[in-house]
Amino acid sequence: MASKQLTAEEGAGSGSGTDSPTPSRRLETTFGPGYSTVTTLVAEGSPNYPWQKSQSFDSDNEEEMSDEPLVFTETPSSKLFCLLCERVFKDAVITTCGHTFCRWCVNMKTNEKCPVDDSKLSVVVANIAVSEQIGELFIHCKYGCQQADGGKMGEWELDPRGCPMTVRVNARKEHEASCGYAPVSCPNNPNCPPLKRMELEEHLKQRDHIRCPHHKYGCTFVGTSGDVSHHLTNICRFEGIKEFLQQTEDKMREMQLQLAQKDQEIAFLRSMLGRLSEKIDALEKSVEVKLDVLDESCNKLQDEVMESRRDCALINVSDELSHINARLNTGVVGTLDPQQIFRCKGTYVGHQGPVWTLCVHGDLLFSGSSDKTIKVWDTCTNYKCQRTLEGHTGIVLALCIHNNKLYSGSADCSIMVWDIPSLEHMKTIQAHDNPVCTLVASNNLLFSGSLKAIKVWDIHTLQLKRELTGLNHWVRALVASTHYLYSGSYQTIKIWDLKSLECVHVLQTSGGSVYSIAITNHHILCGTYENCIHVWDLDTHEQIQTLTGHVGTVYALAVVNTHEGTKVFSASYDRSLRVWSMDNMICTQTLLRHQGSVACLAVSRGRVFSGAVDSTVKVWQ
């Protein structure tokens, strides 16, 4: 069963990030591993952003947010703006709720909640995909900008006397470190007027006041270069102990660094202590409430028991049972077949983070999570966690099974192999340069999907046999049939022959990236970023239907064969599962039990398992 690596749709096409704001409001939020998640907002009406004047981050508590003018050469996309500060993302991070904000906004607004789903804000991981997209935007050199006349604090405009260069955001530090327009001070005389870097060399040639190299230790000598040489040779009392002074300075710097680290550790421990205290208080209140409810329920139950005893004394129990048996035998109780309706039969609880992938083998259910573990659940006898498999250093994104081996892919870019009978780790390979988003095994081959690449491995030796290229974006979905491999990326499904490993057909779709694929006896289905499920004929490859109903990205699809026909389950960001009849292409049931986005599905013996961002796995039958 494959899982998904989620990225900004904006980067799927051109990656320029320079779209104009759209006039309507639409929230497009995805979740998942930090490397590619994005929360974007298209503002309603004309957004009140300081486009051409500046993008600056002003704060009384954070110099970094106010000292760096950010004047873009072109209007940035409104989808690259943080919902908290309404400015272009600054060090974008993914929070526990799966949305993206500035790291500074999250750290400085810990008491606030997510404006999308009202969850508590806490940083999970840096959002590299969004940061890279912003890093490709062009800005003016900060030494070519000046404070805007009559503008608000933190607003900037171009300075015609300053640096004329424009650079990418991710290259600004390199340019500004050597920019000739950067202000510098004369190293020999602090009383000299301010200089530009390109003027310093000529300035030093015209001045004679060169300071002693040991002025930082207290030497006040100033003179020409010849005088300084004579001073160092015959007079300066610091020259003879310069090695000792340098060693002392190095030790002081090291001690200051250690002190800063200790301060950070103390601050972290204080923060954890505060959170622990809050949790204890919340638990105490919860226990008190539950005890009150329990007492009330016990009293109510006692009253009901007494009332029931009084009622039983007034009826003939034997006659009543005979009457009920007669109704059951004649079949007049009802003709509803309970198998026609899927219901939640239970919930597996144990993960400490969102569940991104599921896989079933016999009576065992495997689940991969953001807590970097794989849990093994019993689905037949005690319905409890049998084992927790640890070893990955990143989020577990994909699981698949071949024979008696479990293969797991992770955001740490590796694939690990586990022996199912012993539940022991067997082997690890560094598979990709980017997170492993999806895995599938077929025809004695293991296929792994990542950024713009599918790698083909020998299932027995785990030797790389081939790399399938020509893909335009993240490969989040891989499904194999008897003769073909189906891969989904940005608005494209490619069909590969399993023997030749060549692409034999391409299905073009709409609605952004393909997050999920399912194959039935007659159809090909895919779930997209834009909430739709597209359906093609398996033989003719002609699109025959688009299923709508979800209001969030469709992250997973699963096929269930029932006595009524073929059913397809879909899981979505909107926290729901939908059941679709493939006979008439309509939704027959909507299942709402998860408290977070539903990210993955697995099917076994007529049961459907769903994993979600609420850290649980639910069983449907």
Side-chain angles (χ1 to χ4, degrees):
M1 176 61 64
S3 180
K4 318 294 176 294
Q5 174 76 15
L6 313 179
T7 66
E9 287 301 315
E10 191 67 20
S14 63
S16 63
T18 57
D19 300 343
S20 299
T22 60
S24 63
R25 174 175 289 272
R26 171 133 189 248
L27 190 67
E28 301 173 350
T29 310
T30 61
F31 61 89
Y35 305 94
S36 52
T37 305
V38 63
T39 303
T40 58
L41 179 66
V42 179
E44 185 174 9
S46 299
N48 187 21
Y49 298 143
W51 293 116
Q52 283 301 99
K53 276 202 168 183
S54 75
Q55 162 70 59
S56 64
F57 302 88
D58 50 341
S59 169
D60 295 336
N61 301 315
E62 188 71 44
E63 288 187 358
E64 179 183 344
M65 302 298 285
S66 60
D67 288 345
E68 296 290 339
L70 207 59
V71 182
F72 293 93
T73 59
E74 295 184 10
T75 300
S77 169
S78 60
K79 297 182 179 181
L80 299 179
F81 276 68
C82 174
L83 295 181
L84 294 176
C85 65
E86 295 187 344
R87 300 178 185 272
V88 172
F89 287 117
K90 181 77 170 182
D91 190 9
V93 295
I94 304 169
T95 59
T96 50
C97 60
H99 303 126
T100 298
F101 303 101
C102 304
R103 183 185 295 275
W104 181 86
C105 293
V106 176
N107 290 338
M108 296 304 297
K109 301 181 180 183
T110 53
N111 294 328
E112 293 193 12
K113 295 185 178 181
C114 174
V116 180
D117 57 13
D118 206 33
S119 300
K120 188 172 182 180
L121 295 178
S122 178
V123 174
V124 175
V125 70
N127 194 329
I128 297 176
V130 172
S131 297
E132 289 180 350
Q133 188 174 345
I134 295 174
E136 293 298 317
L137 302 179
F138 281 90
I139 60 171
H140 293 277
C141 173
K142 73 176 181 181
Y143 301 120
C145 303
Q146 64 182 358
Q147 192 76 30
D149 293 335
K152 298 180 181 178
M153 178 62 67
E155 289 191 353
W156 304 82
E157 63 184 8
L158 297 182
D159 183 0
R161 298 167 299 175
C163 178
M165 294 294 293
T166 59
V167 295
R168 286 186 170 88
V169 173
N170 57 16
R172 70 175 301 175
K173 296 297 183 184
E174 181 180 354
H175 164 75
E176 291 169 357
S178 60
C179 180
Y181 288 83
V184 296
S185 300
C186 177
N188 300 326
N189 188 354
N191 297 321
C192 287
L195 303 168
K196 295 180 180 178
R197 182 180 282 117
M198 58 186 178
E199 301 170 345
L200 180 61
E201 183 177 357
E202 185 65 26
H203 172 80
L204 292 177
K205 291 180 180 179
Q206 299 174 0
R207 303 290 181 178
D208 292 335
H209 39 262
I210 300 176
R211 300 169 68 180
C212 174
H214 303 305
H215 66 274
K216 59 183 177 180
Y217 302 125
C219 183
T220 60
F221 180 81
V222 177
T224 64
S225 58
D227 293 339
V228 170
S229 299
H230 180 267
H231 168 75
L232 291 174
T233 304
N234 303 302
I235 302 174
C236 186
R237 65 181 184 274
F238 296 101
E239 179 68 14
I241 58 173
K242 62 180 181 181
E243 293 183 358
F244 170 76
L245 293 173
Q246 184 62 45
Q247 293 175 358
T248 303
E249 185 178 2
D250 292 342
K251 290 182 179 180
M252 288 290 292
R253 189 180 297 109
E254 183 179 354
M255 292 176 65
Q256 290 174 350
L257 180 60
Q258 293 177 352
L259 182 62
Q261 292 175 345
K262 295 299 181 183
D263 289 340
Q264 292 179 356
E265 293 177 2
I266 292 173
F268 173 75
L269 291 175
R270 285 177 176 172
S271 174
M272 295 301 295
L273 183 61
R275 294 181 182 180
L276 183 60
S277 177
E278 291 177 0
K279 290 183 178 179
I280 292 174
D281 292 340
L283 288 174
E284 288 178 349
K285 293 179 181 179
S286 176
V287 170
E288 291 176 358
V289 171
K290 290 180 179 179
L291 288 175
D292 293 339
V293 172
L294 182 60
D295 291 339
E296 184 179 351
S297 299
C298 289
N299 294 333
K300 185 177 181 181
L301 183 59
Q302 289 176 355
D303 294 339
E304 291 178 352
V305 169
M306 295 301 294
E307 185 177 354
S308 297
R309 287 177 178 175
R310 288 193 297 268
D311 293 341
C312 288
L314 301 176
I315 63 173
N316 189 322
V317 177
S318 178
D319 293 343
E320 185 68 12
L321 290 176
S322 299
H323 177 63
I324 293 174
N325 287 330
R327 294 184 65 197
L328 290 173
N329 293 332
T330 56
V332 298
V333 174
T335 59
L336 176 65
D337 182 359
Q339 294 300 322
Q340 296 176 359
I341 299 176
F342 287 89
R343 295 184 176 88
C344 182
K345 296 298 185 180
T347 302
Y348 293 110
V349 179
H351 278 295
Q352 300 301 311
V355 179
W356 300 112
T357 178
L358 295 172
C359 194
V360 180
H361 181 72
D363 294 332
L364 297 180
L365 171 67
F366 300 88
S367 59
S369 169
S370 288
D371 60 16
K372 305 176 185 178
T373 68
I374 303 168
K375 287 191 178 292
V376 186
W377 310 89
D378 182 294
T379 65
C380 183
T381 55
N382 60 14
Y383 306 99
K384 295 182 179 179
C385 180
Q386 302 296 302
R387 187 84 170 267
T388 298
L389 309 182
E390 299 179 345
H392 280 295
T393 59
I395 298 170
V396 181
L397 300 172
L399 296 172
C400 80
I401 289 174
H402 182 78
N403 292 335
N404 282 326
K405 292 185 176 61
L406 172 69
Y407 301 84
S408 58
S410 169
D412 61 17
C413 309
S414 72
I415 297 175
M416 299 185 74
V417 187
W418 312 82
D419 180 64
I420 293 179
S422 63
L423 296 177
E424 296 293 337
H425 171 248
M426 297 177 62
K427 189 174 183 180
T428 300
I429 58 173
Q430 289 301 317
H432 291 269
D433 297 327
N434 294 283
V436 181
C437 305
T438 177
L439 292 170
V440 67
S442 181
N443 200 27
N444 289 324
L445 298 174
L446 176 67
F447 300 89
S448 59
S450 185
L451 178 61
K452 296 183 179 181
I454 300 171
K455 290 190 176 182
V456 186
W457 311 84
D458 185 287
I459 199 72
H460 302 295
T461 64
L462 289 182
Q463 296 296 316
L464 181 63
K465 298 191 66 175
R466 186 167 176 181
E467 182 172 349
L468 309 182
T469 57
L471 300 149
N472 59 8
H473 205 245
W474 287 97
V475 180
R476 301 185 181 88
L478 286 176
V479 174
S481 64
T482 305
H483 302 292
Y484 299 103
L485 172 72
Y486 300 82
S487 65
S489 52
Y490 181 73
Q491 300 195 153
T492 303
I493 295 178
K494 289 196 172 185
I495 304 175
W496 310 80
D497 185 273
L498 284 177
K499 291 184 179 180
S500 63
L501 296 179
E502 298 292 337
C503 180
V504 295
H505 201 84
V506 178
L507 303 180
Q508 298 294 337
T509 182
S510 60
S513 290
V514 175
Y515 280 77
S516 53
I517 297 175
I519 308 297
T520 70
N521 293 334
H522 305 289
H523 301 104
I524 303 171
L525 299 92
C526 79
T528 68
Y529 177 83
E530 294 288 348
N531 318 336
C532 297
I533 302 173
H534 298 293
V535 185
W536 288 267
D537 185 275
L538 182 63
D539 298 323
T540 64
H541 296 150
E542 293 183 0
Q543 185 169 347
I544 58 177
Q545 186 65 273
T546 296
L547 308 179
T548 59
H550 282 296
V551 293
T553 301
V554 181
Y555 290 128
L557 295 171
V559 180
V560 180
N561 294 313
T562 70
H563 65 276
E564 294 181 331
T566 301
K567 306 285 187 181
V568 171
F569 274 68
S570 59
S572 171
Y573 169 78
D574 62 16
R575 304 185 179 184
S576 74
L577 289 86
R578 286 180 177 261
V579 186
W580 307 85
S581 171
M582 296 312 296
D583 295 331
N584 49 23
M585 300 290 178
I586 64 172
C587 178
T588 61
Q589 193 177 355
T590 300
L591 308 175
L592 294 169
R593 291 296 292 273
H594 280 290
Q595 301 301 311
S597 303
V598 188
C600 52
L601 297 170
V603 177
S604 175
R605 300 174 182 173
R607 295 174 297 176
V608 178
F609 302 90
S610 60
V613 174
D614 60 12
S615 306
T616 67
V617 178
K618 292 190 180 293
V619 187
W620 309 85
Q621 192 171 16

